[in-house]
Amino acid sequence: MRSYNQYCGLARGLDVIGDRWVLLIVRELLPGPRRYGELHDGLPGIATNLLAERLRTMQERGLVEKLDDDRYALTELGEGLREVLYAIGRWAYPLMGEQEPDEAFRSHWIVHPISAMFPGIDESRPEVTIEVRCGDTPMTIRSHAGAVTAQHGPAPAPDVVLTGPPDAVVGFIAQRIDRAEAEKRGLAVAGDVRALKRLRPAVPTARRTSA
Amino acid sequence: MRSYNQYCGLARGLDVIGDRWVLLIVRELLPGPRRYGELHDGLPGIATNLLAERLRTMQERGLVEKLDDDRYALTELGEGLREVLYAIGRWAYPLMGEQEPDEAFRSHWIVHPISAMFPGIDESRPEVTIEVRCGDTPMTIRSHAGAVTAQHGPAPAPDVVLTGPPDAVVGFIAQRIDRAEAEKRGLAVAGDVRALKRLRPAVPTARRTSA
DNA sequence: CTGCATCCGGGCCGATACTG
DNA sequence: CAGTATCGGCCCGGATGCAG
């Protein structure tokens, strides 16, 4: 992208991250290093030449590095974009209605809203394992030792199994819609749902505004 | 911009704000409503047809509204992008070296880094008025009743007058560079600088990471 | 003069085909 | 699997025109 040529933090930042697909590539790399094909799978709609070209310029700009095993990883600078992505995600939440017919979905995308909703360590969180089945691959969300994490694959012994479309699943975990509403949107619940209710998501609008 | 067609908060958000110039237009409107010509002046490099087209689609998407006096203003949704802009600005700060020869600058842009550095109300802040002369128009930064505000125009009776290139001025106010370094970069200081030191900017990396 | 609309050249994007 | 090559089309940028 052509530079804005403005001596302004926002403009200079956008010179680096404003190109199409760049922040979505960062989204794919935030959970950890990925190979070219994995990135391509996680970015439905991207042209293969564009992915290659973006990865090249993102390396030049210090956002991404290529590991010895040929996987791509975020640098420290690139990792710093997590706050930018989460800010956009929080802002865009009201825009998230139901999934449109032509919209692609990958189950691993829910890692980010889940992480943003249950940040940091909270010892009072219950121990709970949730298996989520929406989209291409089952995901396991685990609250353990006060931290909430998510990873690919089914859970060996889940306390709860949630099956359904992404908006119903994520909305229900975040407790932004109740069970009746979630089931109306296609959610199926198996197992003991009580522990889930004690996960206590961060208040959606909790933002520090004064020093 | 063509939609990403991904059911993901980041992707849907970027469908709305990912177009070139959109976030810079938000930057111009965050301090308050502006007329078309004022926007054009504050966005050096934008083509006039693009500004018109962006304002049109930003209205359609609910970011901007046109007031009765023909000025453009942010809606509540658009105002919500402040956190996104500040997140990008914080991230981009390490990219802000000196101003390049071909980079444009407008003095009112410093309102945002200043606001981001001295957020909210802090009763212990000293009363101080600073006149800043860098760029096209003098700006007045005022710490009053615990709040730090900035506006166009010279100050009637400033405690301090700072003259010089933007990187030196902003870096010095933020206390990220000391006076010697700032003067080496071209800063000229007039008046009593002691009150300024007690403004106590927010810690640059002060971010809540755990609930 | 302000606030756009029109036109045109160039660059970026998207889709497909192809290669080691 | 991991890209490269190519090409049509759309978007962007700059100049210009024009109505109130």
Side-chain angles (χ1 to χ4, degrees):
Chain A
M1 178 186 287
R2 137 118 46 139
S3 169
Y4 286 110
N5 281 322
Q6 296 185 0
Y7 187 72
C8 157
L10 178 66
R12 280 211 181 171
L14 291 174
D15 283 346
V16 177
I17 63 171
D19 267 312
R20 194 165 164 77
W21 294 106
V22 166
L23 286 183
L24 295 189
I25 293 171
V26 174
R27 173 193 75 192
E28 294 299 307
L29 290 175
L30 271 176
R34 292 289 182 271
R35 299 176 51 188
Y36 185 89
E38 295 173 321
L39 290 173
H40 192 262
D41 290 341
L43 293 162
I46 197 173
T48 173
N49 61 340
L50 266 191
L51 177 55
E53 202 274 339
R54 287 294 181 271
L55 288 170
R56 197 158 34 229
T57 65
M58 288 170 79
Q59 287 178 73
E60 290 170 5
R61 292 169 178 179
L63 299 179
V64 162
E65 58 190 350
K66 198 166 184 177
L67 304 180
D68 293 337
D69 58 4
D70 278 5
R71 291 186 304 170
Y72 295 91
L74 291 176
T75 62
E76 193 174 344
L77 182 65
E79 170 73 26
L81 287 167
R82 182 183 297 272
E83 291 300 324
V84 173
L85 266 73
Y86 282 16
I88 297 174
R90 277 190 298 266
W91 177 80
Y93 181 72
L95 309 176
M96 298 298 290
E98 297 185 9
Q99 183 180 4
E100 300 289 331
D102 58 345
E103 277 183 323
F105 178 74
R106 298 291 183 270
S107 55
H108 70 265
W109 292 344
I110 69 170
V111 169
H112 296 301
I114 298 291
S115 299
M117 277 167 222
F118 305 100
I121 306 289
D122 179 354
E123 301 287 355
S124 70
R125 283 189 188 123
E127 298 278 318
V128 60
T129 302
I130 309 163
E131 182 174 316
V132 171
R133 297 178 188 161
C134 67
D136 44 327
T137 305
M139 297 285 298
T140 297
I141 299 166
R142 188 150 174 254
S143 170
H144 174 63
V148 176
T149 56
Q151 46 190 301
H152 266 103
D159 301 299
V160 193
V161 177
L162 302 178
T163 309
D167 59 320
V169 170
V170 174
F172 182 62
I173 296 177
Q175 296 167 41
R176 284 192 275 225
I177 59 179
D178 61 17
R179 181 166 179 171
E181 171 64 22
E183 290 180 340
K184 204 165 64 183
R185 296 199 200 176
L187 181 74
V189 181
D192 182 3
V193 82
R194 284 172 302 180
L196 206 156
K197 296 207 171 177
R198 290 188 291 124
L199 275 181
R200 296 193 311 170
V203 180
T205 56
R207 302 283 302 155
R208 190 174 52 87
T209 59
S210 66
Chain B
M1 177 185 285
R2 138 118 43 142
S3 169
Y4 286 111
N5 280 323
Q6 295 185 0
Y7 187 71
C8 157
L10 178 66
R12 281 211 180 173
L14 291 174
D15 282 346
V16 178
I17 63 171
D19 267 313
R20 194 165 166 77
W21 293 107
V22 167
L23 286 183
L24 295 188
I25 293 171
V26 173
R27 175 193 73 192
E28 294 300 306
L29 290 175
L30 272 176
R34 293 288 182 271
R35 298 178 49 187
Y36 184 90
E38 296 173 320
L39 290 173
H40 192 261
D41 290 343
L43 294 163
I46 197 174
T48 173
N49 60 342
L50 264 192
L51 177 55
E53 203 274 339
R54 288 294 182 270
L55 288 170
R56 194 160 36 233
T57 65
M58 288 171 79
Q59 287 178 72
E60 291 170 4
R61 293 170 177 180
L63 300 179
V64 162
E65 58 190 348
K66 198 168 184 177
L67 305 181
D68 293 336
D69 58 4
D70 277 6
R71 291 186 303 169
Y72 294 91
L74 291 176
T75 62
E76 194 174 343
L77 182 65
E79 170 73 26
L81 287 167
R82 181 184 298 273
E83 291 300 325
V84 173
L85 265 74
Y86 283 16
I88 297 173
R90 277 189 298 267
W91 177 79
Y93 181 74
L95 309 176
M96 298 299 289
E98 296 186 11
Q99 184 180 3
E100 300 288 329
D102 59 345
E103 276 183 322
F105 178 74
R106 298 291 183 269
S107 55
H108 69 264
W109 292 344
I110 69 170
V111 168
H112 296 302
I114 298 291
S115 300
M117 278 167 219
F118 305 100
I121 306 289
D122 179 354
E123 301 287 354
S124 70
R125 282 187 189 127
E127 297 277 318
V128 60
T129 302
I130 309 163
E131 182 174 316
V132 172
R133 297 177 188 161
C134 67
D136 46 328
T137 305
M139 297 285 296
T140 296
I141 299 165
R142 190 151 172 254
S143 170
H144 175 63
V148 176
T149 56
Q151 45 190 300
H152 268 102
D159 301 299
V160 194
V161 177
L162 302 178
T163 309
D167 58 319
V169 169
V170 173
F172 183 61
I173 295 176
Q175 298 168 39
R176 283 192 274 224
I177 58 178
D178 61 18
R179 180 165 179 170
E181 172 64 22
E183 292 181 336
K184 204 164 67 183
R185 296 199 201 175
L187 182 73
V189 181
D192 183 4
V193 82
R194 282 172 302 179
L196 205 155
K197 294 208 170 175
R198 289 189 292 124
L199 274 181
R200 296 194 310 171
V203 181
T205 56
R207 300 284 301 154
R208 191 176 51 88
T209 58
S210 67

